[in-house]
Amino acid sequence: MRRNWWKVLCTVLIFYTLIGGLLFEVPHKKILNETIRNIYFHVPMWFGMMVLFTTSIVYSIRYLRKPDLVLDIHAAAYARTGMIFGILGLVTGAMWANYTWGKAWSNDIKQIGAAMALLIYGAYFVLRNSITDIDKRAKVGAVYNIFAYAMLFPALWIVPRLVESLHPGGAGNPGADPRDMDARMRFIFWLGAVPGFILLGLWMTNLIIRYRKIEDKNLLHG
Amino acid sequence: MRQEAIIRHILTLLKKDILLEFRQQYTFYGVLLYIASTIFVLYLALQQPDSTVWNGLFWMIQLFICVNAVAKSFLQETRGRMLYFYSISGAQQFIIAKLLYNTFIMLIMSVISLALFRALLGNPLLHFWQFTGIVCLGSVSLSLVFTMLAAIAAKAQQQASLMAIMGFPIIIPQLLLLMRISKAGMGEIFQAGALSDLVWLLCGLDVLVMVMAVILFPFLWRD
């Protein structure tokens, strides 16, 4: 229980987000209306993705400093759940855009950025699978992971600030627009949705890592 | 003294690459022929496209030229030869020499393809020299990124195809920025300061790529 308190916390937060996000009162904005609830589910995906990809990088750097296959398993697992979050973020965003912008894909700079991130991490897994030697796979994978992250994240953080975007809160700030959320929404968003989904991502990764460790038992200890 | 030795190593490696290029001219002419034939096919297909199409095609062709020109830089180094370089110089000197050499080759190729584009596909450029400057900046950016990717792909044995898979998503931000600022050469007016901001951002990314290459290549090199 002492080690697993965060799983309980995660479950509570997710249920709080689901119930609060779908049932509680929200401000009625033009065009947005009830679709504003999507902010509880769409935006935390990006927070989760950033956290997971960043954690993956940390493990890749640690692998290069001290080659240990467990670290490589961690790096790949975090990248994998990061991708799941990215895909979900893209899908929830496209569904929402279908109702508010009129079409699912409108070449918005942030849609391009998200698609780019998914392609890059897709390439990461293709690269890993193309190498059969385990140690070499871990090393080359780590190098590509770090390089791709270093190329991708400045682009994700800087470019949206330079060009116009359809996203709410555009005009210089690619994040959530604080004016669109009232106090109660902000409470659910920052205290429920964001930490809840990040913890869920960590939990999922944790399961993948444990599974991989059992699968590769012979490699890790033999 | 030590600094001098590093620079001497880099220059020697650079000289060796250029010498090799002169001795085995088929690769250089191969890429040249690739440029000429692709642009000729484009000319047959489109004759004189409008400036947006011209711009998009130009940068896509740069991308493919870069993959072709840079891919061989690590392919030609056999395992034995890598071992030899390992014993006489450091990983950092080796990658810096490769970066410099590929940038140099790519600059030549870009300028040639610009001339061919202008000759065959028409000339939508209002500020030719400004556009040439952007092309040079772009070719430096492309060649730096693809040199690093070629080094990674060389370790995975499946050079060209893997390079395209890894490289195209990574290069998107730079390519978007380049296509954007190219429009300045076609007469689009930017907000005050916006153009120089974008140029500085590209330069910053180039510096970042170089730093990453110098830091990360030693890990790839050790085997």
Side-chain angles (χ1 to χ4, degrees), chain A residues 64 109 112 116 119-120 123 126-127 130-131 136 139-140 143-144 146-148 150-151 154-155 158-159 162, chain B residues 145 148-149 152 155-158 162 165-166 169-170 172-174 198 201 208-209 212 216 219-220 222-223:
Chain A
L64 287 183
I109 189 69
I112 296 172
M116 208 166 67
L119 286 173
I120 286 179
V126 171
L127 178 70
S130 74
I131 305 171
K136 197 191 250 185
K139 192 167 64 179
V140 175
V143 169
Y144 178 74
I146 296 167
F147 184 65
M151 295 301 299
I158 298 169
V159 176
L162 293 175
Chain B
V145 170
M148 184 57 196
L149 290 172
I152 295 174
K155 283 285 157 192
Q157 273 108 33
Q158 292 168 348
L162 203 58
I165 296 170
M166 292 192 300
I170 288 193
I172 293 173
Q174 266 135 315
L198 292 176
L201 181 62
L208 179 74
V209 175
M212 292 308 286
L216 291 175
F219 292 103
L220 283 176
R222 250 181 262 141
D223 225 359

Side-chain angles (χ1 to χ4, degrees), chain B residues 25-207:
Chain B
Q25 294 181 345
Y26 71 96
T27 48
F28 185 78
Y29 289 122
V31 179
L32 269 188
L33 197 61
Y34 177 84
I35 296 175
S37 50
T38 342
I39 297 175
F40 185 61
V41 169
L42 278 180
Y43 164 68
L44 291 180
L46 295 165
Q47 259 102 50
Q48 318 263 303
D50 67 14
S51 65
T52 321
V53 177
W54 196 98
N55 191 24
L57 280 174
F58 180 78
W59 288 108
M60 281 319 283
I61 294 294
Q62 296 305 306
L63 187 59
F64 282 93
I65 293 170
C66 192
V67 173
N68 276 290
V70 170
K72 67 174 183 59
S73 69
F74 285 86
L75 191 65
Q76 68 180 15
E77 312 291 5
T78 55
R79 206 181 151 73
R81 231 200 277 172
M82 285 296 261
L83 207 62
Y84 174 61
F85 293 134
Y86 188 70
S87 63
I88 59 168
S89 76
Q92 270 138 8
Q93 285 98 304
F94 186 79
I95 190 74
I96 291 171
K98 282 282 183 206
L99 287 171
L100 287 175
Y101 171 73
N102 284 332
T103 307
F104 171 65
I105 288 287
M106 189 58 201
L107 274 173
I108 296 175
M109 298 296 176
S110 290
V111 171
I112 291 172
S113 59
L114 176 61
L116 276 174
F117 251 78
R118 209 185 141 167
L120 289 179
L121 294 175
N123 182 19
L125 305 170
L126 293 181
H127 310 290
F128 182 73
W129 294 111
Q130 192 183 18
F131 189 78
T132 312
I134 295 167
V135 170
C136 292
L137 179 65
S139 66
V140 171
S141 306
L142 289 174
S143 59
L144 292 177
V145 170
F146 276 95
T147 306
M148 184 57 196
L149 290 172
I152 295 174
K155 283 285 157 192
Q157 273 108 33
Q158 292 168 348
Q159 282 274 336
S161 63
L162 203 58
M163 241 178 92
I165 296 170
M166 292 192 300
F168 288 3
I170 288 193
I171 205 75
I172 293 173
Q174 266 135 315
L175 219 51
L176 280 178
L177 285 173
L178 283 167
M179 287 182 192
R180 190 84 194 82
I181 58 173
S182 305
K183 289 189 180 148
M186 295 173 180
E188 189 177 309
I189 308 295
F190 280 74
Q191 267 179 351
L195 189 63
S196 62
D197 276 358
L198 292 176
V199 171
W200 282 117
L201 181 62
L202 269 170
C203 295
L205 280 171
D206 286 351
V207 173

